[in-house]
Amino acid sequence: KAGVTQTPRYLIKTRGQQVTLSCSPISGHRSVSWYQQTPGQGLQFLFEYFSETQRNKGNFPGRFSGRQFSNSRSEMNVSTLELGDSALYLCASRRAGDTGELFFGEGSRLTVL
Amino acid sequence: DAKTTQPTSMDCAEGRAANLPCNHSTISGNEYVYWYRQIHSQGPQYIIHGLKNNETNEMASLIITEDRKSSTLILPHATLRDTAVYYCIGFYSGNTGKLIFGQGTTLQVKP
């Protein structure tokens, strides 16, 4: 079956702009979580959604937001982009239930100029 | 959340077993030990997990010490495609999907 799909794979923005990233989970997976990966900070948890509700949130400013739709697809948005937001943004999905087995997408690589 | 400690890097000869250690001395009784790997420019991939007992699947084996303070991931016959960063993570099911990744171990498999 199809894996986690993230779009776009690559994008370039300038400071002050906003960006929306999309994630389609594996069919049947209701939980979607987002991670940011940078060379300096490594992989950091952003937030998790389950049945359209945010269940957990990492330590990121309010410029980072997300949502989940009724079909479990998720989007994350970053407003007022800063240079430090340049990163690989990874989405992961999992089956219902609190298991740590996440299935990750290939990520969206954001460059902020 | 358990803090895990892993060596920064390791080398392994192709065809040999790769043994990746992880220290998790602060792990609590209800936290599982999960292993993921990340091949360059790809998303992390789940490998294996365990609570108390040793576990084996088609990818690897996980050996957890009796006191649960450390574990070892074993790739029985490493190939060049196993070159990756390997992450050991303590996960509590009540954390609702939040995995805390450390810096991991960069495993270089050499021909």
Side-chain angles (χ1 to χ4, degrees):
Chain A
K1 60 183 175 182
V4 176
T5 304
Q6 292 188 243
T7 57
R9 290 292 314 278
Y10 302 91
L11 67 166
I12 299 173
K13 294 285 187 179
T14 56
R15 279 182 298 174
Q17 286 187 311
Q18 66 93 26
V19 66
T20 299
L21 309 177
S22 178
C23 172
S24 293
I26 292 172
S27 177
H29 287 194
R30 294 167 60 192
S31 163
V32 174
S33 52
W34 289 87
Y35 289 78
Q36 180 197 63
Q37 186 171 28
T38 61
Q41 299 297 319
L43 273 157
Q44 292 186 290
F45 173 80
L46 280 158
F47 28 66
E48 189 207 16
Y49 287 86
F50 180 81
S51 293
E52 303 178 65
T53 301
Q54 187 181 88
R55 289 208 297 185
N56 205 345
K57 189 176 189 303
N59 189 26
F60 279 82
R63 300 185 296 106
F64 292 81
S65 63
R67 59 177 174 168
Q68 186 180 34
F69 303 94
S70 58
N71 61 358
S72 294
R73 191 177 70 84
S74 177
E75 288 181 348
M76 69 162 283
N77 184 277
V78 187
S79 62
T80 318
L81 284 167
E82 301 176 0
L83 295 179
D85 297 332
S86 294
L88 180 66
Y89 290 89
L90 291 156
C91 167
S93 74
R94 60 177 179 164
R95 293 177 284 264
D98 294 321
T99 168
E101 184 176 351
L102 302 184
F103 295 83
F104 283 84
E106 296 300 304
S108 293
R109 184 165 295 280
L110 169 67
T111 301
V112 181
L113 302 176
Chain B
D1 302 321
K3 176 176 169 53
T4 61
T5 305
Q6 299 176 252
T8 302
S9 63
M10 293 181 63
D11 289 342
C12 177
E14 189 178 19
R16 297 284 199 170
N19 297 286
L20 291 91
C22 178
N23 181 289
H24 35 78
S25 57
T26 61
I27 197 169
S28 62
N30 54 7
E31 280 186 287
Y32 287 78
V33 178
Y34 274 77
W35 284 82
Y36 279 77
R37 73 180 182 183
Q38 186 174 26
I39 296 170
H40 183 62
S41 297
Q42 297 182 19
Q45 176 190 26
Y46 164 81
I47 301 173
I48 197 168
H49 74 280
L51 184 63
K52 294 181 183 178
N53 301 320
N54 299 336
E55 303 288 345
T56 295
N57 63 20
E58 64 279 3
M59 288 183 68
S61 294
L62 175 60
I63 308 297
I64 303 175
T65 58
E66 195 169 336
D67 62 8
R68 302 214 323 127
K69 292 185 184 301
S70 66
S71 62
T72 301
L73 177 75
I74 301 172
L75 307 177
H77 304 287
T79 71
L80 298 179
R81 288 180 294 182
D82 292 321
T83 293
V85 179
Y86 287 77
Y87 298 97
C88 166
I89 301 165
F91 177 78
Y92 167 52
S93 65
N95 256 352
T96 57
K98 178 180 178 180
L99 292 179
I100 299 177
F101 288 83
Q103 295 306 307
T105 296
T106 299
L107 174 68
Q108 182 73 48
V109 180
K110 299 185 174 181

